[in-house]
Amino acid sequence: MSQVHFIVFANEKGGTGKSTTAVHTAIALAASGHRVGVLDLDSRQRTTTRYLENRDATMARLAEQLPQARYEVLDDQTEAGLTAAIDRLSATSDVIVIDTPGRDDPVARAAILRADTLVTPMNDSFVDLDLIGQVHPDTFKITKPSFYAELIWNSRTQRAKVTGKSVDWVVLRNRLQHIQSHNLARVGAAMDELARRVGFRVIPGLGERVIYRELFPKGLTLLDLKQLGEVGMGHIAARQELREMVAGLSIPSIIEQPGQLAAAG
């Protein structure tokens, strides 16, 4: 059995589009032919699980099969429970996407240690940037990494010692505005500076579009254009945005089979 690639979505702040991004990534990988497992660590909100349950309900209603991931929510909030859930999903998965809760959580920390690709979605603002680095109020230069950045650094170091493997930490700039501004440029410059100091990559994520909020009740994604009914240029642009984001994650299974994601959907 080939080794499973773990993609962990983690951010202690809520409202960053983390679950939406995790679901779209999972479905995009499933659409490209990969066996995908999804583990939802937030047993209270269950946003990711409800999204995928809605997708199952839509397939049943339409009597049509769509790309789907195998998924479960972690009810046993212990490290032993995490290990057992991962073992179950690993039996039938090439890639496992783990969505963590928007808070500091011991099980989430344990999941981060499993990550091959660690994804931190962030809104494009200094409020969200403060999660990983503090900014000088006058110069907008990074003064020091935050507690969260140090936590991720220590987790990556620990994992490297235990497994000998590196972790690809990717920060997604979600909800990028399409109109340039001084504030947007300052956020970008500060993020690039912090990336060099802390060691993560920055890639564009998903934009601020009403489209995403409309997809949840049916469990659909931007790869399901046939099921969306009337489709406009905004849908097409957003789908391309999604494809570029998933490609930017540089998941080995995608790299080894180029062109699959572009053909999906």
Side-chain angles (χ1 to χ4, degrees), residues 10 107 143 174 182 202 221 227 236:
V107 177
T143 56
N174 267 349
H182 289 301
V202 182
T221 73
Q227 289 72 32
I236 304 299

Side-chain angles (χ1 to χ4, degrees), residues 117-265:
T117 303
L118 176 63
V119 184
T120 301
M122 293 179 56
N123 295 330
D124 220 42
S125 72
F126 282 114
V127 174
D128 279 56
L129 181 60
D130 188 66
L131 174 76
I132 54 176
Q134 298 180 18
V135 177
H136 191 280
D138 296 322
T139 65
F140 299 100
K141 296 289 187 180
I142 295 293
T143 56
K144 66 176 182 178
S146 70
F147 170 79
Y148 183 76
E150 292 177 355
L151 169 66
I152 299 302
W153 176 271
N154 291 334
S155 295
R156 295 166 78 193
T157 302
Q158 182 179 344
R159 186 180 191 277
K161 288 180 179 179
V162 173
T163 67
K165 297 179 180 178
S166 61
V167 180
D168 184 18
W169 185 12
V170 181
V171 171
L172 292 183
R173 293 181 71 181
N174 267 349
R175 298 176 179 172
L176 277 169
Q177 301 299 314
H178 298 286
I179 300 175
Q180 283 291 337
S181 68
H182 289 301
N183 184 69
L184 189 66
R186 286 168 175 166
V187 171
M191 197 173 289
D192 289 342
E193 177 189 347
L194 189 59
R196 290 190 294 270
R197 291 177 59 175
V198 179
F200 56 79
R201 296 191 293 118
V202 182
I203 66 173
L206 305 181
E208 177 61 271
R209 299 179 189 272
V210 177
I211 294 168
Y212 294 108
R213 294 193 288 273
E214 295 174 343
L215 296 173
F216 175 83
K218 293 183 179 180
L220 295 177
T221 73
L222 290 167
L223 296 178
D224 305 309
L225 294 189
K226 293 179 182 178
Q227 289 72 32
L228 290 179
E230 186 175 346
V231 174
M233 289 304 297
H235 291 84
I236 304 299
R239 183 177 65 170
Q240 182 60 29
E241 186 178 75
L242 167 64
R243 287 172 168 169
E244 291 174 357
M245 183 203 75
V246 176
L249 292 178
S250 300
I251 307 304
S253 57
I254 291 293
I255 295 173
E256 291 163 9
Q257 301 177 57
Q260 282 195 327
L261 185 60

